[in-house]
Amino acid sequence: MSHEHPDMRRPDGSPLRILAVDDEPMLTDLLAMALRMEGWEVRTAGSGLEALQVARDFEPDALVLDVMMPDLDGMSVLRRLREAGNLVPVVFLTAKDSVSDRIAGLTAGGDDYVTKPFSLEEVIARLRAVIRRSGQGQAEDEQSVLRVADLSLNEDSHEVTRGDDEIELTATEFELLRFLMRNERRVLSKAQILDRVWSYDFGGKSSVVELYISYLRKKIDAGRTPLLHTVRGVGYMIKSPQ
């Protein structure tokens, strides 16, 4: 288990249950493998109708649900779950990346959205976020704190400190810093940052990333050893001073 992710579990201490639904068996196999590596219990389904059946029997804590399926599409699956009173968090997978599709997915009661082709890390990060928001996954308190050098960020209380100084951040600054800290020493491109931090701010321009990085620098690095670094022509990263 990587140190930056708390070991999320059900309230009774058993592993989280995830249902992955896609009509491409290769994709569900890949997802299942990655999710099991997180220590989670996984079931898969290859169609919308099968997904409803498995969801009833398995009672998952979250669903990864493909939008386009031959028998019953992801939106219809979700609608039926919600009509039956099932409020399980859902992360949609879709090959379409248009504004109307994203909004349709969210108004249908979906919690998040990942566009194919996606990285498995991205799916897992989104799952963790929706499970945490739903209050299902119980994480160890001390593990919900991310640290880089003397900078710490508490994912639950949203407190950020550098050394002995408390740092006030806006919600967007907090999300940006969290994304950087979860990927310490990894260069993140503007496109990756836009997608992760501004996922539903359609028409987001990459200049907004530069702007928010400069806000963070003023609050976190001003007068101290810098932790935020620009890798010219590639993106940004956060790392401890050598």
Side-chain angles (χ1 to χ4, degrees):
M1 190 69 57
S2 66
H3 70 90
E4 64 215 340
H5 288 318
D7 181 10
M8 297 176 85
R9 295 186 158 269
R10 293 190 131 193
D12 65 2
S14 62
L16 287 176
R17 294 178 187 175
I18 311 292
L19 170 56
V21 188
D22 197 295
D23 59 341
E24 296 174 50
M26 219 168 76
L27 193 62
T28 48
D29 288 351
L30 201 62
L31 274 168
M33 188 180 71
L35 296 168
R36 287 190 182 111
M37 283 175 72
E38 292 293 309
W40 298 341
E41 200 178 326
V42 186
R43 294 274 167 87
T44 61
S47 72
L49 291 169
E50 190 189 350
L52 289 171
Q53 184 59 54
V54 177
R56 270 196 297 274
D57 301 340
F58 183 49
E59 297 181 353
D61 297 300
L63 258 73
V64 180
L65 183 58
D66 189 30
V67 172
M68 300 294 285
M69 286 184 292
D71 62 338
L72 192 64
D73 68 22
M75 302 294 179
S76 307
V77 171
L78 182 62
R79 215 164 278 122
R80 290 197 191 180
L81 285 170
R82 295 293 185 252
E83 281 164 8
N86 189 336
L87 299 176
V88 62
V90 171
V91 174
F92 277 121
L93 299 178
T94 179
K96 295 194 281 184
D97 192 16
S98 76
V99 174
S100 58
D101 288 327
R102 286 192 182 212
I103 290 172
L106 293 168
T107 51
D111 299 272
D112 211 336
Y113 211 95
V114 180
T115 308
K116 296 177 182 178
F118 50 80
S119 73
L120 292 167
E121 284 175 0
E122 176 76 352
V123 176
I124 287 164
R126 302 260 172 145
L127 272 172
R128 285 181 172 280
V130 299
I131 292 165
R132 187 178 281 119
R133 284 206 296 272
S134 75
Q136 283 292 91
Q138 303 295 311
E140 296 300 313
D141 281 350
E142 69 274 9
Q143 288 181 300
S144 62
V145 178
L146 303 177
R147 289 191 176 83
V148 175
D150 59 347
L151 177 68
S152 71
L153 176 148
N154 187 312
E155 295 187 286
D156 296 332
S157 67
H158 279 225
E159 290 170 309
V160 177
T161 56
R162 177 131 193 220
D164 298 325
D165 301 327
E166 208 163 305
I167 294 164
E168 294 287 329
L169 297 180
T170 65
T172 303
E173 288 166 353
F174 181 86
E175 279 306 318
L176 173 56
L177 183 60
R178 167 153 68 181
F179 186 42
L180 287 161
M181 289 178 78
R182 279 186 165 181
N183 292 280
E184 185 187 356
R185 304 191 70 79
R186 253 181 74 192
V187 181
L188 301 171
S189 70
K190 287 179 187 174
Q192 283 174 303
I193 293 171
L194 268 177
D195 183 58
R196 186 68 188 92
V197 180
W198 282 271
S199 12
Y200 306 123
D201 188 0
F202 307 110
K205 302 286 184 287
S206 62
S207 56
V208 77
V209 177
E210 291 164 33
L211 189 64
Y212 272 84
I213 290 281
S214 75
Y215 292 161
L216 274 184
R217 279 205 168 107
K218 285 190 185 105
K219 293 184 175 185
I220 285 159
D221 283 349
R224 305 179 176 100
T225 310
L227 299 177
L228 287 166
H229 300 273
T230 302
V231 181
R232 296 223 174 277
V234 187
Y236 303 98
M237 76 163 154
I238 194 164
K239 64 173 184 175
S240 300
Q242 294 306 318

